[in-house]
C-alpha cells in the first residue's frame, strides 16, 4: 500500500497558505536533487505543498523534505506505467481529499487532470470541501506520445486520450501553460477558463555559473542534451552534422542524455556508422546537472532539432550557460529565441538549413558569442525563480477565488 502521511500526519493549520497538491507521474528519488529541493523551498513560501507522484524504484515512499511527497511504486513495463500511476496515485489523492487536506490540485497534464477530477468528484460525495482543480500542459499533449514511440492501437489511444483531456479541461477551474503556443492548444478545449502562462521550473543558477567561468575549450563540439528520442529529432542532428563533418575535422558531436528505447538507439548508431562518424559522435548517457552545465558552457553550439516542444527547459539552460543555440521553430521556442538575434530557428526536419546554421556558428565564432550573450541576458532577466513563484501565486489565488465563488453561488 502507498504511504499516506507523506512523512507524518497532517499538521494542525497555523497559517493562511493554501494547501496545494501537485499530481503527476514525474518520478522522484531520494534524496531529492538540489534543483528539485530548491523548487519546493521556493513554493513553500506561498503554499503548503504536497506531491503525489511516482517513485524512482519499485517501492512506495512517503517523506517530508521541503514538501510532503507520496510516491507510488514505478513499473518496469512502460506500456502500463501511467495506468499504474493513475490507479495508485489516484487512490492516494482520493485519500488526501477525503481527509480535507487539499485546497488546490495542480494536475500536471490533462490526463492526470482527468484522474484528479474523478477523485475530486468521489470525495465530494462525502460532503467535504471542494478543492480547486488547475490543469497544466507542458507541451503538445495530443501528439508527443506518438512522436516519441510507436504505439499499438494508436487510434484507440488517441480517442481515450482526447476524451480524458476534454473531461479534465472542461472541469478545470484554471489552466496553466508553459508557452502561448501551448495555451492555444488548451484553448481548443477550454476557451473561456482562466489561464496563466509561465515556463516550467528551471534552476538556472548552476548554468549561469558555468557560463560565467567559460574558457576556451580544448576540443570543439556541437551539443545536444535531453532524452534521446525520435521526438527530439536527434536523427536530424546527426544527419545535419554529417553534411559538415568533413569541413570541420576537429569538431565532434556530443549527445548527452538517456536513450528512450533500444530501437532508436540502434538506428542512430547505424546512421553514424554509415556516415563514417562513429568516432566523431559521443553518446555520454545521463549526466549530473553540474556536468551538463559544463558541457553547455564549452559548446560551440547547442542544437535542439525537435519535432514538438512546449517551452523547452533545456534551451533556457543552454542560453544561461552561454551556448549559441539553434532550435526547431516549434511550440514555444520562437517565444524564446528571436531568429538571428538570440539564436537561430530552423523548420523541424530541415537538415540542410540546420547544417548551414551549424556551419555559420563554427565559422563566425565572434558573432555567435555575441548572439549567445544577448540570449543569456534575456534569460537571466525574464526567467527567474521569483517570476516562477509569482506565477503560481497568481494561479492559486485565482483557482481558490473561483471555487469560493461557485460555492457561494450554490
Amino acid at each position: 500500500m502507498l504511504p499516506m502521511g507523506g512523512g507524518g500526519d497532517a499538521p494542525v493549520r497555523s497559517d493562511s497558505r493554501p494547501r496545494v497538491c501537485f499530481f503527476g507521474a514525474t518520478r522522484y528519488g531520494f534524496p531529492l536533487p538540489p534543483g528539485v529541493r530548491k523548487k519546493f523551498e521556493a513554493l513553500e513560501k506561498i503554499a503548503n505543498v504536497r506531491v503525489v507522484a511516482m517513485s524512482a524504484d519499485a517501492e512506495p515512499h512517503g517523506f517530508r523534505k521541503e514538501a510532503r511527497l507520496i510516491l507510488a511504486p514505478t513499473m518496469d513495463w512502460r506500456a502500463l506505467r501511467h495506468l499504474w500511476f493513475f490507479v495508485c496515485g489516484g487512490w492516494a489523492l482520493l485519500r488526501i481529499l477525503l481527509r480535507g487536506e487539499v485546497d488546490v490540485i495542480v494536475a500536471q497534464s490533462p490526463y492526470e487532470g482527468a484522474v484528479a477530477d474523478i477523485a475530486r468528484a468521489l470525495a465530494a460525495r462525502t460532503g467535504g470541501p471542494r478543492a480547486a482543480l488547475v490543469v497544466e500542459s507542458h507541451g503538445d499533449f495530443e501528439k508527443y506520445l506518438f512522436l516519441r514511440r510507436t504505439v499499438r492501437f494508436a487510434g484507440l489511444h488517441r480517442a481515450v486520450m482526447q476524451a480524458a483531456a476534454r473531461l479534465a479541461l472542461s472541469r478545470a477551474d484554471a489552466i496553466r501553460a508553459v508557452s502561448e503556443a501551448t495555451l492555444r492548444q488548451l484553448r481548443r478545449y477550454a476557451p473561456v477558463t482562466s489561464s496563466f502562462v509561465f515556463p516550467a521550473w528551471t534552476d538556472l543558477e548552476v548554468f549561469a555559473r558555468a557560463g560565467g567561468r567559460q574558457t576556451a575549450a580544448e576540443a570543439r563540439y556541437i551539443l545536444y542534451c535531453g532524452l534521446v528520442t525520435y521526438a527530439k529529432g536527434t536523427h536530424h542532428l546527426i544527419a545535419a552534422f554529417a553534411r559538415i563533418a568533413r569541413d570541420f575535422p576537429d569538431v565532434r558531436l556530443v549527445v548527452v542524455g538517456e536513450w528512450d528505447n533500444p530501437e532508436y538507439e540502434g538506428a542512430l548508431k547505424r546512421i553514424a556508422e554509415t556516415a563514417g562518424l562513429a568516432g566523431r559522435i559521443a553518446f555520454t548517457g545521463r549526466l549530473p546537472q553540474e556536468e551538463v552545465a559544463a558541457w553547455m558552457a564549452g559548446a560551440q553550439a547547442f542544437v535542439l532539432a525537435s519535432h514538438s516542444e512546449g517551452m523547452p527547459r533545456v534551451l533556457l539552460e543552454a542560453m544561461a550557460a552561454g551556448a549559441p543555440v539553434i532550435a526547431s521553430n516549434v511550440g514555444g521556442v520562437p517565444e524564446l529565441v528571436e531568429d538571428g538575434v538570440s539564436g537561430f530557428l530552423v523548420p523541424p526536419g530541415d537538415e540542410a538549413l540546420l547544417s548551414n546554421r551549424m556551419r555559420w556558428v563554427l565559422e563566425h565564432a565572434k558573432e555567435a558569442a555575441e548572439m549567445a550573450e544577448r540570449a543569456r541576458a534575456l534569460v537571466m532577466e525574464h526567467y527567474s525563480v521569483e517570476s516562477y513563484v509569482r506565477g503560481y501565486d497568481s494561479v492559486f489565488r485565482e483557482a481558490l477565488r473561483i471555487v469560493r465563488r461557485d460555492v457561494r453561488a450554490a
Side-chain angles (χ1 to χ4, degrees), residues 125-137:
R125 289 178 176 270
T126 68
R130 178 173 179 258
L133 176 62
V134 178
V135 177
E136 299 190 320
S137 178

Side-chain angles (χ1 to χ4, degrees), residues 78-407:
R78 185 171 55 189
L80 292 179
R81 187 177 295 160
H82 281 78
L83 180 60
W84 174 250
F85 170 73
F86 292 158
V87 173
C88 296
W91 172 246
L93 178 61
L94 176 59
R95 289 284 300 274
I96 296 167
L97 289 166
L98 289 171
R99 282 154 42 180
E101 296 175 358
V102 177
D103 300 313
V104 181
I105 307 166
V106 180
Q108 300 198 272
S109 84
Y111 310 124
E112 279 100 345
V115 177
D117 185 63
I118 292 170
R120 184 173 68 153
L122 291 173
R125 289 178 176 270
T126 68
R130 178 173 179 258
L133 176 62
V134 178
V135 177
E136 299 190 320
S137 178
H138 293 212
D140 187 342
F141 62 87
E142 294 174 316
K143 297 179 182 177
Y144 184 72
L145 173 65
F146 305 98
L147 288 172
R148 183 171 174 180
R149 64 174 67 98
T150 301
V151 178
R152 297 181 64 186
F153 309 110
L156 177 61
H157 271 80
R158 285 192 178 92
V160 172
M161 291 166 67
Q162 189 173 52
R166 188 176 292 113
L167 169 67
L169 292 167
S170 67
R171 301 265 297 163
D173 298 297
I175 55 177
R176 177 247 169 163
V178 296
S179 68
E180 293 292 341
T182 308
L183 178 61
R184 287 194 292 273
Q185 185 181 45
L186 291 176
R187 279 286 180 228
R188 298 205 305 271
Y189 296 82
V192 297
T193 305
S194 294
S195 64
F196 299 84
V197 179
F198 55 93
W201 168 263
T202 306
D203 183 10
L204 297 179
E205 183 179 353
V206 65
F207 298 93
R209 284 201 309 267
R213 296 194 301 266
Q214 186 173 355
T215 59
E218 295 181 2
R220 300 207 299 165
Y221 57 90
I222 292 168
L223 180 68
Y224 164 75
C225 300
L227 189 64
V228 185
T229 179
Y230 180 88
K232 298 297 184 180
T234 320
H235 52 294
H236 295 310
L237 172 56
I238 292 176
F241 180 67
R243 290 171 176 254
I244 63 170
R246 184 173 298 178
D247 297 332
F248 301 94
D250 63 326
V251 176
R252 292 187 302 152
L253 175 61
V254 178
V255 177
V256 176
E258 61 183 329
W259 295 100
D260 187 41
N261 62 70
E263 293 80 9
Y264 191 66
E265 177 181 359
L268 287 190
K269 290 182 176 178
R270 285 193 297 274
I271 292 171
E273 290 171 2
T274 300
L277 297 173
R280 299 273 303 276
I281 302 178
F283 297 99
T284 71
R286 189 172 183 175
L287 296 176
Q289 189 180 57
E290 292 77 9
E291 292 185 37
V292 172
W295 277 107
M296 287 178 170
Q300 271 56 54
F302 178 86
V303 180
L304 186 65
S306 302
H307 288 277
S308 175
E309 289 289 351
M311 177 63 77
R313 182 164 40 199
V314 70
L315 204 57
L316 291 165
E317 293 167 348
M319 294 166 78
V325 298
I326 306 169
S328 293
N329 189 359
V330 295
V333 173
E335 299 170 34
L336 179 61
V337 177
E338 184 178 356
D339 189 36
V341 177
S342 54
F344 285 122
L345 296 174
V346 177
D350 191 336
E351 295 169 0
L353 183 56
L354 178 58
S355 66
N356 287 341
R357 294 309 191 202
M358 291 160 63
R359 179 185 296 276
W360 187 91
V361 169
L362 292 170
E363 291 178 342
H364 300 82
K366 182 176 181 296
E367 293 90 340
E370 293 170 351
M371 180 182 292
E373 184 53 39
R374 288 192 291 271
R376 189 168 187 262
L378 180 149
V379 165
M380 298 311 296
E381 179 180 357
H382 295 289
Y383 297 90
S384 64
V385 172
E386 291 75 20
S387 63
Y388 177 82
V389 172
R390 284 196 302 271
Y392 265 126
D393 189 45
S394 298
V395 170
F396 301 155
R397 289 175 184 274
E398 176 65 6
L400 287 171
R401 184 192 69 80
I402 290 171
V403 165
R404 288 163 182 163
R405 180 200 65 192
D406 292 347
V407 169

